[in-house]
Amino acid sequence: MSPRGVATPDVRERLFAAAERVVERDGPGALTSRSVTTEAGCAKGLLHAHFDGFDAFVAELCLDRFARTAGKARALSGLAGRGTVAGNVEAVALVLFDSGGPALSGLAMGRPAAALRVREALEKGAPGFTAVQEAVTGYLEAERGLGRVPESVDPDTVALAVVGTAHHLLMTGRPGAPDPRAPMKRLVAALVGG
């Protein structure tokens, strides 16, 4: 436990990582400000000192993880011509399911104030599913230009299908449901080849 009055380094990330562990271990219903700060090993008031309430914390957690995923998706452009097309697209699609993705998405949607904050931030340009879709489209266009994706493949449609399916699987997932990675892998293979 961090002593009172002592600065806690990387507070946001420490709290976000603690929240992910709570959700992964105990499910979204167990996530409270107290469970997060206990898991993070810090003072109970730290979360509220850095966020404007628990809904703001949940929204910022989701937005932070969306931004990380979008950043990984943007890195796809550097992979054009390397590895397999399906493997590269699959790697980005599967990142959406990392760090408790399904549970965190459900958590935000189950908290109307957090969902509103997320929606407003996305409308103002915060990276989310649209950024991932644009990155996949750009990557597939580059691969098509290199002749590694057939001309008959429409990059926009493939990107929409990949991101839309990931979104569906995230929003309909629940504890104990089959792992969404297997159908995601099958979809990518069907769309761009194995």
Side-chain angles (χ1 to χ4, degrees), residues 21-48:
R21 289 191 302 272
V22 169
V23 169
E24 288 173 10
R25 183 184 60 238
D26 304 322
L31 193 68
T32 63
S33 59
R34 182 170 296 272
S35 70
V36 171
T37 55
T38 298
E39 181 71 24
C42 60
K44 305 296 180 228
L46 189 64
L47 186 144
H48 293 284

Side-chain angles (χ1 to χ4, degrees), residues 37-121:
T37 55
T38 298
E39 181 71 24
C42 60
K44 305 296 180 228
L46 189 64
L47 186 144
H48 293 284
H50 289 273
F51 297 92
D52 183 28
F54 194 63
D55 285 323
F57 171 77
V58 169
E60 289 297 319
L61 169 61
C62 292
L63 291 166
D64 181 80
R65 293 334 192 215
F66 287 165
R68 283 184 177 200
T69 301
K72 290 178 181 178
R74 283 191 291 273
L76 261 177
S77 63
L79 297 177
R82 298 187 340 208
T84 67
V85 174
N88 292 338
V89 173
E90 180 183 295
V92 167
L94 295 182
V95 166
L96 293 165
F97 302 106
D98 290 345
S99 299
L104 290 177
S105 296
L107 175 68
M109 298 314 295
R111 299 186 67 87
L116 178 61
R117 286 175 183 254
V118 169
R119 186 172 47 253
E120 288 172 346

